[in-house]
Amino acid sequence: MAVLLLAGCQTPDSRLYTLSVLPPEGPVAAAAGGALALGALELPPLVDRPQIVRRIDPNRVETLEFDRWAEPLADGLRATLAADLAARLPGRSVLPVAGSAPGAGTAVLSVTVLTFESTADGRVVLDAQWGPANGPRRRDSVEIRAANGEPAALVAAMSRAVAALADRMAATGRF
């Protein structure tokens, strides 16, 4: 009886997720030389937590306690966006972090994520402002439909949203 009681008290194992790097959707043009480094990358506190957050309705969200990011979401997003940009800007070195004193000829890209949400019905929205660290900023919003509202499908759609944002950034070449 004691063994059954203890077995019933165990918590399920967490499932860990990461964003994935995806290839460009279309052909890529040769990029100007020099380096591009990601400077500030800000996330809304609502999603900047270990658990995956899913919107239930306009006024409620739920944290998926056992579906978690394998690393802080800001770090994963930074690394994924840098790798997605590198795939879209051949000939240009893309660094995930600008550092305290970027080298000469290094453009610094600043990104503020306004929304990075998923919903129980499988909708993912990534809304971000981005541009040169000390220059004009552009706003882009990407909406992707996941196969369903399950965490694995939502994370895959989130990866596609980051790749779509990288496509738009690379297409403008405004760094």
Side-chain angles (χ1 to χ4, degrees), residues 41-134:
L41 189 144
E42 300 172 33
L43 273 175
L46 177 69
V47 296
D48 193 13
R49 59 185 64 232
Q51 304 90 347
I52 293 175
V53 177
R54 183 170 56 185
R55 184 163 291 285
I56 299 169
D57 64 36
N59 298 310
R60 289 187 313 144
V61 297
E62 64 180 340
T63 56
L64 304 177
E65 194 58 41
F66 299 106
D67 295 290
R68 296 173 167 261
W69 294 109
E71 61 189 333
L73 181 56
D75 294 345
L77 178 59
R78 175 182 291 282
T80 302
L81 182 58
D84 279 340
L85 284 169
R88 288 150 178 81
L89 300 169
R92 191 159 198 181
S93 175
V94 181
L95 310 168
V97 179
S100 59
T106 300
V108 179
L109 176 66
S110 217
V111 180
T112 301
V113 176
L114 304 170
T115 304
F116 196 24
E117 291 188 345
S118 59
T119 62
D121 68 353
R123 181 174 161 256
V124 169
V125 175
L126 172 56
D127 185 19
Q129 289 181 326
W130 60 273
N134 295 317

